[in-house]
Amino acid sequence: MEPAVRAEDEAMSTEELLQAQTDLYHHSLAYIKSMALGAATELGVADAIHGRGGAITLSHLAAATGVHPTKVQHFGRLMRALTVTGVFTSEEKEGGGGALYKLTRISRLLVGVGKRRLSPMVRMLVSEVSFTTPMSICEWITTDTPARAMFEAHFGSTQNGLWEKEDAYGAPFYSAMSADSRVVMEVLLRECSSVFEAVAGSLVDVGGGSGGVVAAAIATAFPHIKCSVLDLPNVVAAADDTSNVQFVSGDMFDYIPPADAVLLKWILHDWEDQDCVKILRKCREAITTRGAGGKVIIIDFVVGAGSSKETETQVLFDLYMMMENGAERDEHEWSKIFFEAGFSDYKIMPVLGARSLIQVFP
Ligand SMILES: C[S@@+](CC[C@H](N)C(=O)[O-])C[C@H]1O[C@@H](n2cnc3c(N)ncnc32)[C@H](O)[C@@H]1O
């Protein structure tokens, strides 16, 4: 039997009904935005615009990015979608003759020179590895199959296993992490220098990755802080040789080298609550200066901190992390973990866009 028409359906004006339909289609097609952005990143569209002084016609852009001559019109449709959605902008050439494509604040972050280049991060987020399990949320949520098992069935490895062992996945992953860290550090050093000035003399970046970008930036900006990076042996073996950072290979679940401050950037969101408590207990044991600047510094999302767009980014990342048994947490969830790990206080600073800097005190 057809369900009865409900009162709220009847009450919708034409305008509301059509708006709701447009919104529904907009949400349904959100993945096309990701695909289009991924294609533009792969083609190097931002670099081509930048290389032509910041403004370029469609035909020149197509030639510069390797578009096949039979596909220029299709490429124009890709550029139109990316322009309407704000990734690029276009304006009519003076005196006519078509549109000139230009960069926006978003696509400037895709240009392949300079420390703000986030194209490795975009590549990772729109890669096959990232898309596969989120696409299967419905299947996963209606069975008792662990997310990791679904991922393994497809790739023959866990996601962490792929990053760590397969160079074809691992190298782009660590390059994406380094790219993100460069942007985060630019802001942190500008906005939160007092957090590091208070550190007595040493800091260990746990899971700092092969680039050691965060530790190197802190060591350069604050010469009084001796910085080291702890990461897995295979990551340390491939580490960039930076003179001001010492790399230590090990497992954060076993031992964290002693330091005045322990930094965890994008580590805890990879793990379930009980694993986070174990990692934080090891951090607490490692902190040498209690009450005199000793602390854990966490860079991660705090769900609900910030604008509605930032919250949307946080909860989308949460679904992304859910597929690897990780999670993005709200303040209440964070505080439970901190207190269970034996810490006495914390301070959240939502100063990193969608992410926050959290100081946790022993
Ligand atoms: C998501 S990445 C974050 C990298 C870096 N902190 C950043 O944000 O740019 C997670 C890091 O944790 C490291 N890692 C994973 N398990 C670890 C363990 N048991 N002990 C030490 N490091 C580990 C990985 O090798 C990787 O570098």
Side-chain angles (χ1 to χ4, degrees):
M1 199 172 73
E2 283 286 305
V5 177
R6 294 195 319 208
E8 66 262 30
D9 296 336
E10 300 251 306
M12 258 200 204
S13 69
T14 302
E15 194 185 327
E16 285 167 340
L17 176 61
L18 292 176
Q19 186 60 56
Q21 186 189 39
T22 303
D23 287 347
L24 191 65
Y25 292 170
H26 192 96
H27 282 293
S28 305
L29 289 173
Y31 72 98
I32 299 281
K33 278 199 206 183
S34 305
M35 296 296 191
L37 177 62
T41 307
E42 224 34 66
L43 288 166
V45 171
D47 282 329
I49 298 175
H50 180 76
R52 282 294 188 112
I56 186 169
T57 61
L58 184 70
S59 55
H60 283 125
L61 191 54
T65 53
V67 171
H68 194 275
T70 60
K71 300 281 168 59
V72 175
Q73 192 242 354
H74 304 87
F75 177 61
R77 287 156 66 182
L78 174 71
M79 287 306 296
R80 178 176 64 181
L82 288 164
T83 301
V84 168
T85 52
V87 177
F88 298 103
T89 184
S90 72
E91 59 186 55
E92 274 308 300
K93 258 167 98 172
E94 262 178 52
L100 282 175
Y101 287 92
K102 296 184 173 183
L103 298 171
T104 63
R105 267 186 303 177
I106 301 174
S107 43
R108 265 183 218 114
L109 297 179
L110 299 175
V111 174
V113 288
K115 59 183 180 177
R116 293 181 183 156
R117 183 179 72 102
L118 284 178
S119 41
M121 198 63 206
V122 172
R123 278 202 193 96
M124 188 196 86
L125 290 174
V126 302
S127 72
E128 187 199 2
V129 173
S130 298
F131 264 111
T132 306
T133 29
M135 289 292 191
S136 325
I137 289 177
C138 181
E139 186 190 335
W140 175 65
I141 223 155
T142 51
T143 65
D144 68 354
T145 318
R148 284 191 175 146
M150 277 177 52
F151 191 92
E152 274 188 84
H154 191 87
F155 286 101
S157 167
T158 62
Q159 201 174 107
N160 280 340
L162 275 190
W163 306 140
E164 285 155 23
K165 295 187 194 80
E166 304 275 341
D167 213 39
Y169 295 102
F173 171 72
Y174 286 106
S175 146
M177 291 300 114
S178 295
D180 177 73
S181 291
R182 276 188 277 276
V183 174
V184 166
M185 287 319 293
E186 179 182 339
V187 177
L188 263 192
L189 296 178
R190 212 189 289 160
E191 304 295 332
C192 302
S193 54
S194 61
V195 169
F196 299 101
E197 277 156 8
V199 173
S202 58
L203 176 145
V204 55
D205 181 7
V206 172
S210 56
V213 169
V214 170
I218 295 170
T220 304
F222 305 96
H224 75 281
I225 307 178
K226 194 169 166 302
C227 290
S228 53
V229 169
L230 173 84
D231 212 303
L232 296 167
N234 60 314
V235 178
V236 169
D240 293 347
D241 199 13
T242 54
S243 55
N244 57 357
V245 173
Q246 189 197 358
F247 281 88
V248 180
S249 91
D251 183 341
M252 64 191 167
F253 287 96
D254 292 338
Y255 175 73
I256 294 174
D260 297 309
V262 180
L263 191 138
L264 299 162
K265 175 179 169 279
W266 257 356
I267 300 299
L268 297 177
H269 80 158
D270 287 340
W271 300 93
E272 292 175 77
D273 289 1
Q274 281 316 305
D275 288 324
C276 290
V277 170
K278 284 183 201 157
I279 296 166
L280 283 168
R281 283 197 180 127
K282 289 289 168 199
C283 293
R284 197 166 172 276
E285 284 169 28
I287 294 172
T288 43
T289 41
R290 307 256 159 107
K295 59 192 167 190
V296 177
I297 301 166
I298 296 171
I299 296 164
D300 237 316
F301 294 107
V302 175
V303 174
S307 66
S308 60
K309 186 153 202 185
E310 284 160 353
T311 298
E312 195 173 320
T313 308
Q314 293 153 4
V315 296
L316 291 177
F317 256 102
D318 180 53
L319 290 189
Y320 181 72
M321 299 313 296
M322 186 169 83
M323 296 297 122
E324 256 298 285
N325 291 358
E328 306 303 347
R329 299 174 168 93
D330 62 22
E331 178 170 354
H332 176 68
E333 292 162 331
W334 276 118
S335 68
K336 265 180 72 182
I337 292 171
F338 299 152
F339 295 136
E340 200 180 327
F343 288 86
S344 63
D345 201 6
Y346 67 90
K347 182 179 177 190
I348 294 175
M349 298 163 74
V351 289
L352 291 169
R355 271 173 293 183
S356 292
L357 182 137
I358 315 173
Q359 296 177 80
V360 194
F361 306 101

